[in-house]
Amino acid sequence: MNGEKMKNPKYFRLIKDGQFVGFKRDVTEYLPAGDDRWQLDQIEHDPDETQKLIGPAIGIATLKREKIISEK
């Protein structure tokens, strides 16, 4: 993130069996087409043409940041 302040983190306290076990942080990041560096700045796009993916795209999965889970 090159020292940038995260603009939109969401934090969660993780609990298991009534005990605190850690924290989770969700941050929206954008990956420009044909690039391999995530960024926090929004990419100009047409929301009406945006397609929701069921899982990470193959190119994104090869960056080793996403875990692909098979339902089978």
Side-chain angles (χ1 to χ4, degrees), residues 42-51:
Q42 186 171 355
I43 296 171
E44 281 192 41
H45 66 284
D46 184 346
D48 294 333
E49 293 186 18
T50 298
Q51 300 172 350

Side-chain angles (χ1 to χ4, degrees), residues 19-39:
Q19 299 289 323
F20 167 72
V21 293
F23 292 102
K24 173 183 173 183
R25 179 180 70 194
D26 283 349
V27 178
T28 300
E29 293 179 284
Y30 299 91
L31 182 65
D35 205 346
D36 63 354
R37 295 189 64 121
W38 290 92
Q39 64 186 41

Side-chain angles (χ1 to χ4, degrees), residues 1 4-15 20 22-28 40:
M1 302 288 157
E4 298 173 23
K5 186 172 183 177
M6 293 186 191
K7 301 172 187 172
N8 55 353
K10 295 178 187 175
Y11 294 94
F12 302 88
R13 182 183 304 273
L14 304 178
I15 307 292
F20 167 72
F23 292 102
K24 173 183 173 183
R25 179 180 70 194
D26 283 349
V27 178
T28 300
L40 292 174

Side-chain angles (χ1 to χ4, degrees), residues 31-32 34-38 53 55-68:
L31 182 65
D35 205 346
D36 63 354
R37 295 189 64 121
W38 290 92
L53 300 175
I58 297 299
I60 294 172
T62 59
L63 294 175
K64 307 292 187 210
R65 295 235 343 231
E66 282 68 28
K67 182 177 181 182
I68 299 176

